Amino acid sequence: MKILRLIALLLLTTFVAGVQPADSFEMQRQLMVREVADMAAETRSYTGKNRFDERVMQAMGRVPRHEFVPESVRSHAYANRPLPIGNGQTISQPYIVALMTDLGEVRENSVVLEIGTGSGYQAAVLAELVRHVYTIEIVEVLGKTAERTLGRLGYDNVTVRIGDGYGGWPEHAPFDAILVTAAPEELPPALVEQLKPGGKLIVPVGSQQAPQSLKVVSRDAAGRVTMRDVLPVGFVPMQSGE
Ligand code: SAH
């Protein structure tokens, strides 16, 4: 009897030790999703909406953000703020990732381009929702690390390219949505050209001296392009490849 109880206890400890970290990340992630929802409600006067698309929020609740950040900041992985990922770059704030994904109005069969892979987190959130994500990163070590993380987690509908994303990715254009996660000083014309009719380009535009403006550029069915400003934001600058 005693020995049985000992075995049961041993099994229990192994079980608890084995699942606790994952469980606590899961709990933290659900809290993060709630914070994002609260912030979405607080910023409705900018965005014109009280809440983000339910599918976007579900994707935020599934992607393991802790897998995309360096070990040193893993305990903060589910804080609603940007975190350093090395090479002077950051993983965007979860609220911003959710907002940009929501503004992209993506569907299951969408093909999406992201400029600024960084950690790969935004690409993973998109990959949960669309057919394929093409993503370009200018810093080789970041792009390679993101590619490995995405592969390890089973995101086989993401293609990472190392290079300058300013000119987009003409070979796979046009896109249903383009998300730019580094700020150019002016709107990159090639990205507007690579939008499908009905497509959305979400891009923070501005210099580093003042807050940038997160813009939504829409191409309508007739090909006409319109633009609106959504929110003042602070992204890392878009670098030039030359
Ligand atoms: N989307 C990322 C956040 C990236 S931060 C995430 O989810 O983690 C912005 C990234 O854009 C940085 O990694 C930076 O190296 C990259 N970047 C800057 N200029 C670029 C350019 N011209 N082309 C491609 N990537 C660029």
Side-chain angles (χ1 to χ4, degrees):
M1 211 46 206
K2 235 184 197 167
I3 194 96
L4 272 182
R5 226 187 294 158
L6 188 66
I7 292 173
L9 192 67
L10 272 177
L11 278 176
L12 191 71
T13 2
T14 329
F15 181 67
V16 170
V19 296
Q20 205 172 17
D23 253 9
S24 94
F25 279 135
E26 173 67 32
M27 267 176 57
Q28 292 177 43
R29 186 157 61 241
Q30 299 319 318
L31 286 175
M32 176 197 85
V33 170
R34 222 177 294 162
E35 276 183 45
V36 169
D38 289 347
M39 200 164 175
E42 284 160 21
T43 51
R44 63 179 167 267
S45 61
Y46 290 99
T47 61
K49 57 178 97 189
N50 209 7
R51 58 178 63 192
F52 298 148
D53 187 322
E54 195 46 43
R55 291 173 323 129
V56 172
M57 297 306 276
Q58 283 166 3
M60 297 293 293
R62 282 196 299 268
V63 179
R65 194 173 189 248
H66 64 276
E67 300 278 3
F68 292 88
V69 299
E71 191 72 51
S72 54
V73 292
R74 196 151 289 169
S75 58
H76 303 293
Y78 292 100
N80 185 21
R81 59 179 164 91
L83 293 169
I85 54 170
N87 293 76
Q89 304 303 324
T90 54
I91 179 173
S92 306
Q93 179 185 12
Y95 162 78
I96 291 289
V97 172
L99 171 65
M100 292 182 74
T101 310
D102 181 88
L103 292 170
E105 294 179 15
V106 295
R107 295 169 208 278
E108 259 169 55
N109 62 352
S110 297
V111 177
V112 179
L113 174 66
E114 179 196 25
I115 311 300
T117 317
S119 67
Y121 176 70
Q122 170 76 76
V125 172
L126 286 166
E128 292 272 343
L129 298 167
V130 306
R131 179 147 58 91
H132 203 93
V133 180
Y134 292 94
T135 178
I136 308 178
E137 171 55 53
I138 204 166
V139 178
E140 181 165 8
V141 59
L142 292 178
K144 292 288 177 208
T145 305
E147 190 173 37
R148 265 200 310 278
T149 308
L150 289 160
R152 180 163 52 79
L153 296 174
Y155 290 105
D156 53 10
N157 58 340
V158 182
T159 310
V160 183
R161 191 182 101 191
I162 307 299
D164 184 353
Y166 186 83
W169 198 333
E171 293 82 354
H172 296 291
F175 300 98
D176 296 285
I178 303 178
L179 270 61
V180 185
T181 67
E185 297 209 350
E186 274 156 34
L187 194 63
L191 300 185
V192 181
E193 274 161 32
Q194 290 174 25
L195 267 188
K196 262 187 204 168
K200 305 275 181 197
L201 163 62
I202 319 301
V203 53
V205 178
S207 69
Q208 294 299 299
Q209 281 72 48
Q212 305 133 10
S213 177
L214 187 66
K215 292 178 187 290
V216 178
V217 181
S218 310
R219 181 185 285 283
D220 71 13
R224 275 186 304 261
V225 173
T226 52
M227 190 153 69
R228 74 180 166 102
D229 291 276
V230 178
L231 194 74
V233 285
F235 279 82
V236 297
M238 183 179 264
Q239 298 169 33
S240 145
E242 293 94 13

